[in-house]
Amino acid sequence: VGNAHLFWDPAFAGVKLAQAQAVTKEVQRLEEKYGPMYTLLCGDFNSLPGTRVYTYLTKDAGFTSAYQSILFLASLQMPAGSKG
């Protein structure tokens, strides 16, 4: 389990991306040392879907967005004709 609080200011998207990369690099280092593991990365990423940080974490680094998973599961449970 990891926790991160990335920089807040949208004007410094590069700083947030570097922080996210540092976190994932540490996860990789731990996996190299101890072997493959399940990783739960929590925190305040101060990044919306579509931002460089979000894309990096969910595409490049291979993490799954819990928020997107919840939206998907909720859509499966809505009665036909409902609006979410």
Side-chain angles (χ1 to χ4, degrees):
V1 176
N3 185 31
H5 188 173
L6 304 186
F7 193 62
W8 65 273
D9 194 334
F12 292 89
V15 171
K16 289 191 278 191
L17 182 59
Q19 290 173 329
Q21 290 169 333
V23 168
T24 58
K25 185 176 180 181
E26 181 63 14
V27 170
Q28 291 171 347
R29 186 190 71 76
L30 291 170
E31 286 186 333
E32 288 170 6
K33 184 173 182 178
Y34 299 108
M37 62 182 82
Y38 292 102
T39 305
L40 177 63
L41 182 58
C42 309
D44 183 349
F45 303 109
N46 285 308
S47 302
L48 297 171
T51 61
R52 289 173 25 191
V53 169
Y54 185 90
T55 300
Y56 170 75
L57 289 171
T58 60
K59 302 279 192 268
D60 302 332
F63 285 95
T64 300
S65 167
Y67 177 71
Q68 291 300 321
S69 296
I70 290 168
L71 289 179
F72 174 73
L73 291 173
S75 74
L76 296 177
Q77 297 175 3
M78 286 187 191
S82 295
K83 294 183 180 178

